[in-house]
Amino acid sequence: LGQIVGSYDLSVILQNRDLIQADPLYVPALILILLGCFTKSAQFPFHFWLPHAMAAPTPVSAYLHSATMVKAGIFLMARMWPVLSGTPECGTLPPLHQRRYWFHILNHATFKAALFMSAGIVDHEAHTRDIRRLGGLRTLMPVVFTVASVAALSMAGIPLLNGFLSKEMMLEEAHHTVLFGSHWLVPVLATVGSLFSAAYCFRFIAHTFLGPVRDDYPHKPHDPNPGMWLPPAILVVLVVLIGVAPFLAEPFVKLVTTSVLGGVLEVPEAHFKIWHGLVPALYMSVIAVLGGLVVLMVFKPLLKAWETTPRPEAKVIFESLVEMAVGLAGFVIHRLHNGSFRRYALIGIVTMIAAGYHAWSTG
């Protein structure tokens, strides 16, 4: 993009939409930026780095993974949207200047950070975060159970919590999106994605906190002091407050949207409300929630089928590609750089003759 407009100043790039989209380098720039965004946001098939990055202390992970790191790709897409969108090559890149996206990012940061810290508290108290060794914590850790459950239900899209509001707005947008000439492909994919999101939220609640108290925890858990549960509790208060009074978030979301776009586009007015009527998004949301409950009920046979089904592992594929690249590099180096002066001289002379002939024949 800097090569196209003659400047690497982002403000200059954002003012040259027509010049960028008319340049032959537009498509390579678009592809590379989208690949970067997908990788940074841990989208398939670049998702495998994220589980292996969960090594920081819980508050750090809550900040990095719920509020910043994986959102950097979304931020970059939004930042570049004014100059990259609106072309056939760009396809259905969503209009990120519309405030529902930033509303969901705000909501996601609240409930996801609360979930990170709740998981950290469970790990601290039970000395494990292996969900297979947990269960029954509802009676032993009632405060953490309440905080984590509200956050998880918000992420699952349960009404009167902030996750339901922005998810329904995004499902409504998906309902109106056409991809590859199909009117149903994006709505179906969005509903299935929401279904699995709801399923793992329900599993987190059920398999961590519900069920009988066990006698084989690595350490007998209990609610920690307020210094540990108060931070996620504050976030959960925001989850509920925005869920029942979403208009309170409007000024903040407008501020964020305006800041991200840097004044390049005018931010449209939007008002958040709890009830949107009997719209398709509501039915999609209901299907996702009910489907998530069904998945939870048949989780054990599904898990067994998943574990016995051969499937490609992205991390293994990535490491194999790295090994192939290293092997190719070694093959080339060992044949070109083997210490033979005769070979070096041959390569140099052939290169000079070829370059000279090219210059002479083309002027």
Side-chain angles (χ1 to χ4, degrees):
L1 293 175
Q3 188 76 12
I4 293 172
V5 304
S7 172
Y8 291 90
D9 188 324
L10 183 60
S11 60
V12 176
I13 292 175
L14 293 177
Q15 294 170 0
N16 286 275
R17 171 191 174 98
D18 294 338
L19 179 63
I20 289 172
Q21 295 190 358
D23 195 278
L25 291 176
Y26 164 72
V27 172
L30 174 67
I31 292 173
L32 291 172
I33 286 177
L34 290 180
L35 281 174
C37 294
F38 267 62
T39 305
K40 192 65 173 174
S41 294
Q43 300 300 303
F44 180 84
F46 313 110
H47 60 288
F48 56 88
W49 68 264
L50 186 56
H52 300 277
M54 299 296 181
T58 297
V60 178
S61 290
Y63 175 68
L64 288 179
H65 296 295
S66 69
T68 54
M69 187 179 290
V70 296
K71 289 188 172 67
I74 301 173
F75 173 83
L76 181 60
M77 288 178 66
R79 204 75 174 92
M80 304 311 301
W81 187 88
V83 297
L84 295 180
S85 62
T87 64
E89 295 86 357
C90 194
T92 56
L93 184 66
L96 287 161
H97 67 287
Q98 298 198 17
R99 294 196 280 175
R100 65 181 162 271
Y101 292 94
W102 303 109
F103 184 42
H104 187 66
I105 286 175
L106 166 67
N107 294 339
H108 182 273
T110 55
F111 59 65
K112 199 61 175 289
L115 286 170
F116 265 107
M117 286 189 271
S118 298
I121 293 172
V122 170
D123 193 2
H124 179 271
E125 294 297 325
H127 291 188
T128 182
R129 58 183 177 188
D130 186 344
I131 200 169
R132 296 167 297 182
R133 304 187 66 185
L134 298 170
L137 299 186
R138 174 177 59 86
T139 55
L140 300 176
M141 307 176 69
V143 175
V144 177
F145 163 67
T146 302
V147 169
S149 296
V150 172
L153 292 174
S154 177
M155 189 170 183
I158 301 302
L160 298 183
L161 300 173
N162 62 358
F164 166 75
L165 298 175
S166 50
K167 266 196 172 183
E168 190 181 46
M169 295 165 71
M170 295 177 70
L171 289 173
E172 180 65 27
E173 183 65 26
H175 176 257
H176 296 292
T177 301
V178 179
L179 184 64
F180 304 128
S182 172
H183 291 267
W184 59 265
L185 181 59
V186 172
V188 169
L189 291 176
T191 304
V192 171
S194 296
L195 186 154
F196 281 107
S197 178
Y200 71 70
C201 290
F202 296 147
R203 185 199 173 204
F204 171 70
I205 297 173
H207 292 186
T208 304
F209 297 101
L210 303 184
V213 176
R214 300 172 61 154
D215 56 7
D216 60 344
Y217 302 114
H219 183 265
K220 189 64 178 290
H222 57 80
D223 273 327
N225 60 57
M228 291 190 71
W229 61 254
L230 190 58
I234 293 173
L235 291 170
V236 164
V237 168
L238 293 175
V239 166
V240 177
L241 190 61
I242 296 174
V244 297
F247 60 88
L248 295 175
E250 290 178 10
F252 181 76
V253 174
K254 182 175 183 180
L255 174 65
V256 171
T257 309
T258 304
S259 300
V260 170
L261 295 175
V264 178
L265 292 175
E266 182 180 353
V267 178
E269 288 295 326
H271 300 285
F272 307 131
K273 55 185 180 180
I274 297 176
W275 177 248
H276 297 94
L278 297 175
V279 294
L282 179 63
Y283 303 123
M284 294 162 70
S285 185
V286 170
I287 292 171
V289 170
L290 295 179
L293 291 172
V294 171
V295 170
L296 178 64
M297 289 188 290
V298 296
F299 175 75
K300 287 186 177 179
L302 283 178
L303 179 62
K304 186 176 181 180
W306 172 257
E307 291 176 340
T308 56
T309 301
R311 60 189 182 277
E313 291 289 345
K315 186 173 186 291
V316 175
I317 294 173
F318 173 76
E319 291 174 346
S320 300
L321 290 174
V322 171
E323 290 179 4
M324 289 173 57
V326 171
L328 178 61
F331 175 83
V332 173
I333 289 172
H334 292 147
R335 275 146 187 80
L336 297 182
H337 213 282
N338 64 347
S340 169
F341 176 76
R342 179 182 298 175
R343 182 165 297 186
Y344 298 161
L346 176 64
I347 293 172
I349 291 171
V350 169
T351 302
M352 287 184 282
I353 292 174
Y357 175 76
H358 174 75
W360 175 78
S361 62
T362 62

